[in-house]
Amino acid sequence: MMRWICWYLISTVFSLALAGCTGEFERPALEDMAMIGVMGFDYIDDKQMNVVVAIPVPARGKESTQVYSTKASMTSEAMLKLATKSERTMTLSQLRVILFSEELVRKVGIGKVVLDLYRNPIVGENVFIAIVKGKAEDIIRGEYRNKPEVNTYLNDLLRPRVETAFSSFSTIHDFVFMMTSKTGDPNLPYLIKQNGNIQIAKVALLRKDKLIGFYSQREGKLVQCLLGQKRLPRVKFELTEQTNEGERLEEIIFDFVWSKSKVRSNGNQKKPVIDINLELRGVVVGYDGKKNLDKRPQMEKLVKQMEALIKRETAVMLKKFQQEGVDPAGIEESLRQKYYGKWTREKGLALYQQAGFNIKVKLDILGYGTIK
């Protein structure tokens, strides 16, 4: 009898002890979590960064945002320091946007930070990355009238849309793929803060993980076409035609409804030539000119003029990329497909920079709208 009483007392003591430990170290409830939505990185020196995080705070009225910052050399170190500043438990499980300052991307690169977050099992794959003019902290701490709180605002702004399809809008997964690719270079949206708004101004061009330059929204649309984007944003064309009265300017707003590209190389390693066939379909939604588009000959003349302009702009853009030694359009993939031997990025760039281009453009106008 005494034996059973002893076992009962021992079991009771252990149960009470375990219950006490569970209460002390149990996982925090959802309302006790500080879910980071935006994370920004600014340059301090070659070893340290200024790390800024934005945490949405739900409220009955207008949503508010808590912003914390610290100096660190690694993301994990920054999280340790930031955790002591918040009254709630910080987590990256709801991270949606990562911002890097232009200075940091130029001088240090972002590969280390991105890979550190990418390997963190808590961080999801659908986290958008962007580069900002000035400091990321200024973007995160900025006040934006008639806009949602900054976490929601930036997440919605960087979601892919037809109107802003001149940039790849890379997630953390996409960027790691492009950064490690042997047939192309990454591109990211470039944000500026202007007149109380955040604007996607142009496209940032990177070599692996370092910023080397920019290209315009118009060039970005051509890049996305070469990359296989089916739906492109609207484009304004300006054509100059010689008449008996002198030069006449025509303006066309063209809405692309479908696009297709075929990029093929001749496989010659001594004199590489790359054939690029672009097929484009769309609708003229705005026209300011003297042509009567109801008449077939004049419509065909307009098509030829637009095809020639697209061909010329594509050739100029690719020539510029060759001179800079960068390939955001993934042209090197056509060279790799017909290359015999071990492929390296150095060989790909060498072939790409000496390649000639044979560009063909076929444009179909499916209809027209507003005619001035």
Side-chain angles (χ1 to χ4, degrees), residues 167-168 170 174-188 203-213 215 223-224 227 320-333 345-346 348-350 352-353:
S167 177
S168 292
S170 304
D174 298 330
F175 184 80
V176 170
F177 174 79
M178 290 190 295
M179 183 176 65
T180 57
S181 172
K182 294 185 178 181
T183 57
D185 293 294
N187 65 86
L188 293 171
V203 186
L205 183 57
L206 291 85
R207 163 66 62 77
K208 290 188 177 179
D209 69 330
K210 283 192 174 183
L211 179 68
I212 64 168
Y215 56 87
V223 169
Q224 292 304 310
L227 287 171
K320 183 181 75 171
F321 289 158
Q322 279 184 313
Q323 293 173 350
E324 294 174 347
V326 68
D327 180 21
I331 301 296
E332 291 169 70
E333 176 60 25
R345 185 67 206 281
E346 290 72 22
L349 277 175
Y352 166 69
Q353 288 184 286

Side-chain angles (χ1 to χ4, degrees), residues 267-335:
N268 191 325
Q269 296 182 23
K270 294 183 178 180
K271 293 183 179 180
V273 176
I274 299 173
D275 295 317
I276 299 175
N277 294 323
L278 302 179
E279 295 181 40
L280 306 165
R281 296 174 190 169
V283 179
V284 176
V285 295
Y287 175 72
D288 184 8
K290 299 297 183 180
K291 288 187 176 68
N292 185 351
L293 301 186
D294 287 327
K295 295 183 178 180
R296 188 179 183 87
Q298 295 194 38
M299 175 67 85
E300 290 178 348
K301 184 178 181 180
L302 180 65
V303 168
K304 295 296 182 184
Q305 288 176 305
M306 292 173 65
E307 287 177 343
L309 182 58
I310 295 170
K311 179 179 178 179
R312 183 167 62 252
E313 289 186 1
T314 304
V316 170
M317 180 188 71
L318 291 175
K319 189 67 177 178
K320 183 181 75 171
F321 289 158
Q322 279 184 313
Q323 293 173 350
E324 294 174 347
V326 68
D327 180 21
I331 301 296
E332 291 169 70
E333 176 60 25
S334 64
L335 297 165

Side-chain angles (χ1 to χ4, degrees), residues 1-236:
M1 185 68 180
M2 290 297 296
R3 183 179 180 183
W4 286 108
I5 292 174
C6 290
W7 276 111
Y8 176 76
L9 291 172
I10 292 171
S11 300
T12 303
V13 171
F14 272 106
S15 297
L16 291 172
L18 290 173
C21 292
T22 303
E24 184 178 355
F25 296 108
E26 65 182 2
R27 291 184 178 181
L30 186 61
E31 58 268 19
D32 296 326
M33 301 288 286
M35 297 185 179
I36 297 171
V38 178
M39 204 166 192
F41 298 86
D42 290 321
Y43 178 83
I44 296 178
D45 54 42
D46 291 346
K47 293 184 178 180
Q48 281 199 317
M49 307 171 290
N50 184 45
V51 183
V52 188
V53 297
I55 302 168
V57 181
R60 291 184 178 180
K62 186 178 179 181
E63 287 185 316
S64 59
T65 306
Q66 290 180 335
V67 180
Y68 301 94
S69 64
T70 189
K71 296 178 182 179
S73 58
M74 294 188 298
T75 310
S76 52
E77 179 190 359
M79 289 300 296
L80 288 173
K81 292 182 177 180
L82 290 168
T84 62
K85 297 186 177 185
S86 175
E87 73 281 6
R88 296 180 292 162
T89 302
M90 285 193 180
T91 177
L92 292 170
S93 60
Q94 293 299 311
L95 183 63
R96 291 294 176 263
V97 176
I98 305 171
L99 302 178
F100 294 98
S101 69
E102 179 181 342
E103 186 179 16
L104 177 67
V105 190
R106 281 191 185 277
K107 294 182 177 179
V108 180
I110 61 177
K112 180 181 177 181
V113 174
V114 171
L115 288 174
D116 192 17
L117 290 169
Y118 182 68
R119 291 168 181 151
N120 189 332
I122 298 176
V123 178
E125 293 184 352
N126 296 322
V127 181
F128 293 108
I129 302 176
I131 298 173
V132 303
K133 182 179 180 180
K135 293 183 178 180
E137 185 170 8
D138 293 339
I139 295 284
I140 294 174
R141 292 188 184 273
E143 294 185 5
Y144 309 101
R145 292 184 179 180
N146 303 318
K147 300 291 183 182
E149 62 90 27
V150 71
N151 293 274
T152 304
Y153 182 23
L154 285 169
N155 186 38
D156 292 344
L157 181 69
L158 293 174
R159 286 192 176 277
R161 292 170 288 134
V162 173
E163 294 80 9
T164 56
F166 49 81
S167 177
S168 292
F169 291 99
S170 304
T171 64
I172 191 170
H173 177 78
D174 298 330
F175 184 80
V176 170
F177 174 79
M178 290 190 295
M179 183 176 65
T180 57
S181 172
K182 294 185 178 181
T183 57
D185 293 294
N187 65 86
L188 293 171
Y190 182 76
L191 308 181
I192 63 171
K193 181 183 175 184
Q194 190 174 36
N195 299 326
N197 292 296
I198 304 173
Q199 179 186 358
I200 306 171
K202 46 191 173 182
V203 186
L205 183 57
L206 291 85
R207 163 66 62 77
K208 290 188 177 179
D209 69 330
K210 283 192 174 183
L211 179 68
I212 64 168
F214 303 95
Y215 56 87
S216 66
Q217 294 183 13
R218 190 179 185 89
E219 290 174 321
K221 295 169 187 178
L222 292 173
V223 169
Q224 292 304 310
C225 180
L226 292 170
L227 287 171
Q229 182 76 25
K230 297 295 183 183
R231 190 76 163 86
L232 300 175
R234 291 182 177 182
V235 175
K236 179 181 179 181

Side-chain angles (χ1 to χ4, degrees), residues 236-254:
K236 179 181 179 181
F237 293 94
E238 293 185 349
L239 304 174
T240 303
E241 187 175 11
Q242 292 289 342
T243 65
N244 294 332
E245 301 173 355
E247 290 187 350
R248 184 173 62 192
L249 180 67
E250 294 178 298
E251 296 181 341
I252 304 102
I253 306 298
F254 193 74

Side-chain angles (χ1 to χ4, degrees), residues 250-262:
E250 294 178 298
E251 296 181 341
I252 304 102
I253 306 298
F254 193 74
D255 187 8
F256 292 98
V257 299
W258 180 86
S259 69
K260 182 180 179 182
S261 67
K262 290 183 179 179

